[in-house]
Amino acid sequence: MDVVNQLQRQFIDYSASLHREGFLDDQFTQLQKLQDDNSPDFVVEVASLFFEDCEKLINNMARALEQQQGVDFKQVDASVHQLKGSSSSIGAMRVKDVCIAFRSFCEAQNREGCLRCLQQVTHEYSLLKNKLQTLFRLQQQILAAGGSIPVVE
Amino acid sequence: MESCNCIEPQWPPDDLLMKYQYISDFFIALAYFSIPLELIYFVKKSAVFPYRWVLVQFGAFIVLCGATHLINLWTFTVHSRTVASVMTTAKVLTAAVSCITALMLVHIIPDLLSVKTRELFLKNKAAELDREMGLIRTQEETGRHVRMLTHEIRSTLDRHTILKTTLVELGRTLALEECALWMPTRTGLELQLSYTLRQQNPVGYTVPIHHPVINQVFSSNRAVKISPNCPVARLRPAGKYMPGEVVAVRVPLLHLSNFHINDWPELSTKRYALMVLMLPSDSARQWHVHELELVEVVADQVAVALSHAAILEESMRARDLLMEQNVALDLARREAETAIRARNDFLAVMNHEMRTPMHAIIALSSLLQETELTPEQRLMVETVLKSSNLLATLINDVLDLSRLEDGSLQLDLGTFNLYAVFREVLKLIKPIASVKKLHVSLNLAPDLPEYAVGDEKRLMQTILNIVGNAVKFSKEGSISITAFVAKLDTLRDSKAPEFLPVLSDNHFYLRVQVKDSGSGINPLDIPKLFTKFAQNQSTGTRNSGGSGLGLAICKRFVNLMEGHIWIESEGLGKGCTAILIVKLGMPERVNESKLPYMPKMPTNHGQTAFPGLKVLVMDENGVSRMVTKELLLHLGCDVTMVGSSDECLRLVSHEHKVVFMDICVPGIDSYGITIRIHEKFTKRHERPLLVALTGNTDKVTKENCMRAGMDGLILKPVSLDKMRSVLTDLLEHRVFFEAI
């Protein structure tokens, strides 16, 4: 039982830190609330989908921005828009913020700005991915030890 | 002198003695020679002779003896030495053989003697077996007779035939002189001669039953030899003959209906008949054991056959009785049906005939009331009006009740507002209650459905009746009406064993309790309350003005509604509680097009707030689509996902109540879709509600949405609670634009 309690406390702390540092916002909490017996792996599934999406979009954007001849800003904008939507749906706050900035650069058709933002987005995305994977690992450990995931308000 | 080697006999040859010896020797030799021949001849003839060797020896011995005697003949005269030597040889041989034979005979003679004893033994055995054979044969005969008798007896079910056959067959089998059967009389104190073999119509001889001999016979199940002087055996005219032996045996009478005994298989009061069998006089015959056995067996069979016959008679009689009763019942039913038909016709006619004048009286009296009248006239008119109203109610009640009883009344089912029914009742009863200064309170349980399916008018009538009674019989105090949905355990303890509630999904049981603090009812009177025309006379409420039919009608209505109604009271002066339970149907899920106004959705925070609500979600973004879908699933909706406008247009149908569209994705012309959906569903109630999901927080988007014809706009991100309240509002008002 002690092990479980310890793990649970770890989980709570980690979750709180993620929120504090702005990696996740309320929307993520909402998603966690939606997870129940009918869909026990909902959060993990959404997160995986998000990561896939992200990678695809980032690749698209990278390819589009690498074009030496005219950069298709519309396409980039579309991708950023998608990314923004996804990140806001999952509650990835920092990614979303970068996307907002990214969009303004796209509108301004500022290639340098876009590239910088792309870098930032990639960075934020990988950070978030690591953090979330750690979080999910903690969850698995708790479940394996026979405990239940504590609800973080 | 010549010297010869002859031997001279000692005696002179012509001596007489010598002559006789000579002849005897001759005959001896003859005999001796013929004996073996005879022996051989006869032995050859007989099949068995085990001692051949002895025979040979004996033969040899005899032959040699014969030879000796034969040779002796020559020694009577002068004979030569050779003859003498031959003689000597013969004698020697004879001696040897005879010695051997003598020795042999020592062994053989005991054997021969034992043969004799064995023969004797076998003869005895043969005699014994013969005897036993004879016995078996007699037994078999007896068995055959019994079988035949039984067959005869059991081949009929008629009592007389059985008994007569028994006597005849027994008489024949055992060669009896007389055979009689004595049956116990009705009183059981005497034995009456019922059947005899020889006499055709026996005189009604009776013999008292408590005779020692009879008791002896009855107490044992064997055939008992009795004295010929016993009263039961004195059937022949006394004469000079030596009466033959008499045997009596009891016949148990197993089924006793003919003899009027009620208790069935009680052994102590078993009744017996007596069968008496008499051997022919002067025959010196004795009763053999096998004959007695035969008699016992027959007696048992007769008993069984008699009981069968009796049972058959009984069942035939019962069947006849049943048929008679059937016929009578049929007749009664037909008469009752005719009566009912006549009454119905009468009522139907009277209904019309009575109502018309009543109507006229009431109408004209009320008109009269409106005119100028003197105070006395007014009073008179009012009385007339009140009385005629009462009469009209009475007529209605009687007609209703008779229709209820016929089963020709059917409930008018429909969806109605349950709460409204109670409010109406309250409204009607409040004036009277306030006049009597009674306080009436209504308590409706929160889980009581607002709408139900049932007969509204009659339910109201019932509740009104009960509440009216409560008010009527209370002089002061308060009346409380509670209504709630009855749960299964409360249904079960409703003191009605025949009330078997069945819970199903689309029905519920409404339980209404009306408690008053009035005069109460004596618990003994409670059963009579629901009977027609029975008024509670003991309390001083004679002028209650009712016909006594109210509760009876209520009970009929409640029964039609598959429910139960009863009254509990602790006694006079302690008030009483009337409880009724009726089965009502659940209305279909509320559809705003069917009802006059939308009820407020219960704000429960349960999972399925919108069970089965069909929703279409269009969103290009996979992640947000998944999130929205999960949100809606959580609220119990039936979600269809589409990822493009074409798919959306293809899959949208009138079953979908709401379509959520993510409009902030460039490349999807959400407004275009909106217009096309408007075109597709021309009728407003068929068209699903179109709601935009957007992250754009500018007014332009909102205006565009409204102009395009969308019914709502929601800002992303959407939380669970937000979605729930949005859907609630949306379904209620059919429009929801989030304030931006």
Side-chain angles (χ1 to χ4, degrees), chain A residues 7 11 15 28 32 35 40-41 43-44 132-145 147-150:
Chain A
L7 287 168
F11 177 82
S15 223
F28 191 73
Q32 281 178 321
Q35 183 165 291
D41 293 331
V43 182
V44 176
L132 278 180
Q133 276 171 345
T134 315
L135 193 72
F136 292 144
R137 231 193 342 265
L138 266 177
Q139 271 186 354
Q140 293 284 53
Q141 282 177 335
I142 294 178
L143 286 174
S148 61
I149 315 290

Side-chain angles (χ1 to χ4, degrees), chain A residues 27 30-31 33-34 36 39 42 45-46 49-50 53 81-82 85-86 89, chain B residues 607 620-624 626-627 630-631 634 664-666 717-720:
Chain A
Q27 180 65 10
Q30 287 291 324
L31 289 187
K33 273 201 211 163
L34 283 178
D36 62 351
S39 43
F42 175 61
E45 280 168 21
V46 174
L49 196 60
F50 171 64
D53 246 45
H81 182 83
Q82 285 267 11
S86 300
S89 292
Chain B
Q607 295 280 67
E620 231 195 30
N621 187 317
V623 175
S624 79
M626 193 167 171
V627 174
E630 191 64 30
L631 260 180
H634 231 70
C664 52
V665 180
V718 192
S719 73
L720 191 63

Side-chain angles (χ1 to χ4, degrees), chain B residues 461-738:
Chain B
Q461 197 178 343
T462 312
I463 300 177
L464 194 57
N465 196 312
I466 297 179
V467 175
N469 278 348
V471 167
K472 222 193 304 189
F473 291 105
S474 303
K475 294 211 184 69
E476 59 187 356
S478 67
I479 303 199
S480 82
I481 310 170
T482 25
F484 50 92
V485 175
K487 302 285 177 293
L488 196 54
D489 37 345
T490 57
L491 285 175
R492 288 249 178 80
D493 74 351
S494 65
K495 297 181 189 182
E498 64 274 357
F499 179 50
L500 299 162
V502 172
L503 284 183
S504 65
D505 271 339
N506 41 7
H507 289 100
F508 69 97
Y509 283 88
L510 169 71
R511 183 177 165 121
V512 180
Q513 281 175 205
V514 179
K515 190 169 161 57
D516 71 57
S517 56
S519 44
I521 302 172
N522 192 341
L524 296 171
D525 287 334
I526 287 183
K528 289 190 275 172
L529 282 172
F530 291 98
T531 51
K532 290 187 298 178
F533 307 119
Q535 283 257 52
N536 201 350
Q537 305 288 346
S538 52
T539 68
T541 53
R542 279 177 180 245
N543 258 343
S544 45
S547 58
L549 280 179
L551 280 176
I553 293 185
C554 287
K555 189 169 170 71
R556 297 296 190 287
F557 283 153
V558 166
N559 283 344
L560 271 177
M561 293 192 225
E562 295 179 56
H564 189 62
I565 178 171
W566 74 100
I567 293 188
E568 292 170 8
S569 171
E570 290 176 31
L572 291 170
K574 295 204 178 84
C576 71
T577 311
I579 303 165
L580 79 84
I581 300 180
V582 288
K583 185 176 179 188
L584 295 173
M586 292 286 237
E588 293 173 22
R589 198 159 42 82
V590 167
N591 195 341
E592 60 130 14
S593 56
K594 289 197 187 147
L595 296 168
Y597 57 95
M598 277 301 258
K600 195 137 178 51
M601 282 290 196
T603 53
N604 53 348
H605 292 276
Q607 295 280 67
T608 54
F610 310 97
L613 182 69
K614 259 179 118 61
V615 166
L616 189 77
V617 173
M618 189 190 78
D619 191 339
E620 231 195 30
N621 187 317
V623 175
S624 79
R625 198 167 55 216
M626 193 167 171
V627 174
T628 315
K629 174 180 171 185
E630 191 64 30
L631 260 180
L632 290 167
L633 278 178
H634 231 70
L635 293 172
C637 303
D638 180 2
V639 184
T640 319
M641 308 290 300
V642 292
S644 71
S645 42
D646 291 8
E647 249 189 302
C648 176
L649 281 169
R650 204 178 50 232
L651 290 180
V652 77
S653 72
H654 64 89
E655 283 179 353
H656 294 107
K657 295 284 182 262
V658 187
V659 175
F660 288 103
M661 289 191 277
D662 190 334
I663 59 162
C664 52
V665 180
I668 290 195
D669 182 12
S670 328
Y671 306 124
I673 298 174
T674 314
I675 293 167
R676 288 238 278 288
I677 290 182
H678 269 274
E679 283 170 6
K680 186 168 173 182
F681 300 98
T682 47
K683 297 204 191 81
R684 192 162 184 264
H685 66 266
E686 271 183 2
R687 183 171 62 77
L689 296 167
L690 301 166
V691 177
L693 275 174
T694 176
N696 281 349
T697 56
D698 55 325
K699 283 211 160 57
V700 177
T701 318
K702 185 169 171 188
E703 275 167 23
N704 285 344
C705 286
M706 285 166 120
R707 225 177 304 128
M710 291 207 158
D711 303 291
L713 181 131
I714 309 177
L715 291 174
K716 288 210 277 195
V718 192
S719 73
L720 191 63
D721 292 344
K722 180 166 165 181
M723 183 61 94
R724 193 186 288 125
S725 61
V726 163
L727 271 177
T728 312
D729 259 358
L730 201 65
L731 289 168
E732 183 170 330
H733 300 125
R734 297 201 63 85
V735 86
F736 181 83
F737 281 96
E738 186 160 353

Side-chain angles (χ1 to χ4, degrees), chain B residues 300-328:
Chain B
D300 275 336
Q301 290 296 325
V302 166
V304 169
L306 278 179
S307 69
H308 284 178
I311 288 171
L312 182 74
E313 265 180 48
E314 188 67 26
S315 71
M316 303 274 295
R317 214 148 20 96
R319 194 192 59 168
D320 288 336
L321 201 64
L322 267 173
M323 281 204 338
E324 267 176 40
Q325 280 181 342
N326 248 7
V327 168

